[in-house]
DNA sequence: AAGTATGATTATGT
DNA sequence: ACATAATCATACTT
């Protein structure tokens, strides 16, 4: 309240100086007797302020009302707004537009992809499952860990949403509060609707920067969760015995060319209840480890060779055709365990 | 606890 | 796109 006269004074002062249409002599009214005149002015103002505090509230209110009802008031208000607009814009008018923050977009995309900011639980878990499959091809068997992961994710999701809502609410509350305040003040100060709008924009920007922090920390939490639960390297489970047997059977019966085709991989994956990627991993590891130390695998190789031989015998005993079920190791790349002769590896 | 086995990842080459 | 080789990180064995 007490800065009202000062503000008015300074604004009119700036306005006079800046407004082109006003007569010159008004600007230099106190120019001649500079020092003393100004002192006198300040004294007057101080006096006014003191009297304001002396006035009763009703009286002040009445004066205000009278001022507001003055017939020149709207015009003056507009002029003052215009002047203020000009000066403010000239000071910081250029930095208005805001390009969509790339980092914010990145965070948004990630949250959407992880199913945190997505529609609801159904879509969210589906997205999470897709992310899991993409990250490392975790099989469908470890459902216990997966549900644990999903539970933790939905927890994060819930926190995120409640926090976001809180921020939103706080932002709205604050915005309406500020708007009401400015509107109220616009009865006594030159505040244009445009300025209020700008203020609202500033508030929104501030709040969205806070939101970004929330998004960032949420992303972090999701990342940690993922690395804990979905990085299969951390939670490695050995394949079950049956799966290993199937894979080994294929490997040793195709020792000459242990490179299953895409279809063969798919079939093996199906039989072993693992993914095609895991089949590829297995064969990659097996080939290199076999090659590195054939002696170590000799026993295993012989065992599987014997087994397939028995199978073949059984099969041939049924049908007259004596064809082995799988291609025999003849012109291959890996030396056979029993009679290792030529090694044809790169 | 140390050592080994094993599934996954990464770097590199073709 | 796929293969290899090295490496990582865990599971399993001794």
């Amino acid at each position: 309240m007490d800065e009202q006269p000062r503000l008015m004074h300074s604004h009119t002062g700036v306005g006079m100086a800046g407004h082109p249409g006003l007569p010159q002599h008004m600007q230099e009214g106190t120019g001649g007797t500079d020092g003393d005149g100004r002192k006198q002015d300040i004294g007057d103002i101080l006096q006014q302020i003191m009297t304001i505090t002396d006035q009763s509230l009703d009286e002040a209110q009445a004066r205000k009302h009278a001022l507001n009802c003055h017939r020149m008031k709207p015009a003056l208000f507009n002029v003052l707004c215009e002047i203020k607009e000009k000066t403010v814009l000239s000071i910081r008018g250029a930095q208005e537009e805001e390009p969509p923050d790339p980092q914010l977009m990145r965070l948004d995309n990630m949250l959407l992809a992880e199913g945190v900011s997505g529609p609801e639980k159904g879509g969210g878990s589906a997205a999470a499952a897709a992310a899991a499959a993409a990250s490392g091809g975790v099989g469908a068997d470890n459902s216990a860990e997966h549900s644990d992961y999903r539970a933790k994710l939905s927890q994060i999701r819930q926190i995120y949403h409640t926090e976001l809502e809180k921020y939103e609410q706080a932002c709205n509350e604050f915005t309406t509060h500020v708007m009401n305040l400015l509107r109220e003040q616009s009865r006594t100060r030159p505040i244009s609707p445009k300025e209020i709008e700008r203020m609202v924009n500033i508030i929104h920007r501030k709040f969205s920067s806070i939101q970004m922090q929330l998004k960032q920390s949420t992303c972090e939490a999701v990342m940690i969760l993922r690395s804990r639960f979905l990085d299969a390297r951390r939670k490695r489970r050995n394949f079950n015995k049956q799966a290993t047997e199937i894979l080994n059977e294929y490997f040793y019966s195709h020792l000459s060319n242990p490179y299953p085709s895409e279809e063969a991989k798919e079939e093996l994956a199906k039989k072993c209840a693992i993914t095609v990627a895991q089949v590829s991993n297995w064969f990659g590891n097996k080939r290199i480890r076999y090659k590195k130390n054939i002696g170590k695998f000799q026993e295993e190789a012989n065992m599987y060779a014997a087994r397939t031989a028995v199978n073949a015998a059984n099969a041939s005993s049924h049908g007259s055709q004596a064809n082995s079920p799988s291609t025999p190791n003849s012109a291959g790349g890996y030396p056979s365990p029993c009679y290792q002769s030529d090694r044809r590896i790169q």
Side-chain angles (χ1 to χ4, degrees):
Chain A
M1 241 348 180
D2 58 347
E3 66 176 355
Q4 204 169 310
R6 189 180 58 78
L7 268 179
M8 289 297 259
H9 182 82
S10 84
H11 271 292
T12 40
V14 169
M16 298 293 185
H19 215 295
L22 290 174
Q24 196 72 8
H25 68 266
M26 285 188 77
Q27 293 184 35
E28 298 172 346
T30 56
T33 56
D34 205 9
D36 283 358
R38 213 160 265 181
K39 250 184 203 162
Q40 189 60 40
D41 277 353
I42 292 168
D44 284 350
I45 291 163
L46 281 174
Q47 194 57 43
Q48 277 180 32
I49 291 168
M50 298 311 278
T51 55
I52 282 173
T53 53
D54 284 344
Q55 284 164 0
S56 73
L57 213 62
D58 286 348
E59 197 179 338
Q61 213 65 26
R63 278 196 182 203
K64 230 161 107 181
H65 186 70
L67 208 65
N68 277 329
C69 292
H70 197 277
R71 63 187 174 83
M72 287 298 282
K73 194 249 173 187
L76 185 63
F77 185 82
N78 281 343
V79 169
L80 290 177
C81 279
E82 195 185 317
I83 291 161
K84 193 177 171 192
E85 194 70 34
K86 258 182 202 159
T87 54
V88 167
L89 279 180
S90 68
I91 291 167
R92 46 171 176 171
Q95 46 156 6
E96 269 299 324
E97 86 294 336
E98 51 177 325
D101 189 352
Q103 201 188 351
L104 183 62
M105 277 175 57
R106 214 167 49 88
L107 290 175
D108 276 336
N109 285 339
M110 180 175 162
L111 289 174
L112 207 65
E114 296 295 336
V116 174
S117 64
E120 246 311 301
K121 208 147 170 59
S125 63
S135 88
V138 181
D141 45 359
N142 53 359
S143 56
E145 285 165 34
H146 208 269
S147 73
D148 196 5
Y149 168 82
R150 273 213 308 256
K152 290 242 159 97
L153 187 71
S154 78
Q155 204 177 317
I156 289 174
R157 182 188 156 89
Q158 198 179 339
I159 290 169
Y160 171 78
H161 276 112
T162 52
E163 287 294 307
L164 201 65
E165 204 170 316
K166 236 193 283 178
Y167 286 165
E168 208 114 309
Q169 200 181 330
C171 180
N172 284 339
E173 238 167 67
F174 191 70
T175 304
T176 52
H177 187 73
V178 166
M179 272 169 76
N180 284 340
L181 206 67
L182 287 177
R183 263 204 279 272
E184 179 59 33
Q185 288 203 356
S186 78
R187 288 157 64 84
T188 51
R189 286 207 293 138
I191 300 171
S192 65
K194 211 170 170 182
E195 204 177 336
I196 294 177
E197 192 188 321
R198 195 158 46 222
M199 203 61 189
V200 168
N201 270 340
I202 289 168
I203 293 167
H204 282 173
R205 227 172 303 165
K206 284 282 176 222
F207 268 89
S208 79
S209 85
I210 295 171
Q211 268 188 16
M212 188 152 110
Q213 280 179 10
L214 171 68
K215 283 175 181 175
Q216 197 148 23
S217 56
T218 305
C219 272
E220 234 166 80
V222 171
M223 291 292 260
I224 290 166
L225 186 70
R226 271 188 68 163
S227 69
R228 273 256 224 91
F229 283 88
L230 291 182
D231 189 353
R233 202 151 73 162
R234 285 184 192 283
K235 278 270 181 223
R236 186 176 67 74
R237 305 261 78 158
N238 289 359
F239 299 152
N240 60 42
K241 212 162 172 69
Q242 209 177 349
T244 339
E245 274 185 25
I246 291 166
L247 293 167
N248 271 318
E249 211 165 288
Y250 188 98
F251 180 78
Y252 285 112
S253 62
H254 296 75
L255 202 55
S256 57
N257 185 32
Y259 297 88
S261 65
E262 192 59 34
E263 294 146 24
K265 279 182 192 170
E266 274 167 29
E267 180 147 353
L268 284 168
K270 206 168 170 184
K271 271 201 252 181
C272 302
I274 57 177
T275 66
V276 174
Q278 283 176 304
V279 173
S280 297
N281 283 341
W282 190 90
F283 273 89
N285 284 323
K286 190 74 184 180
R287 282 191 298 261
I288 191 72
R289 282 163 186 166
Y290 179 81
K291 196 180 83 176
K292 239 179 182 170
N293 191 350
I294 293 163
K296 205 169 68 183
F297 289 92
Q298 193 127 72
E299 209 178 323
E300 188 179 73
N302 288 334
M303 195 189 95
Y304 281 101
R307 190 179 299 192
T308 52
V310 169
N311 282 351
N314 282 348
S316 65
S317 74
H318 257 281
S320 53
Q321 273 282 337
N323 58 339
S324 49
S326 45
T327 35
N329 35 324
S330 48
Y334 288 85
S336 65
C338 298
Y339 33 83
Q340 56 185 64
S341 48
D342 57 334
R343 44 167 56 211
R344 252 170 282 171
I345 333 155
Q346 299 89 312

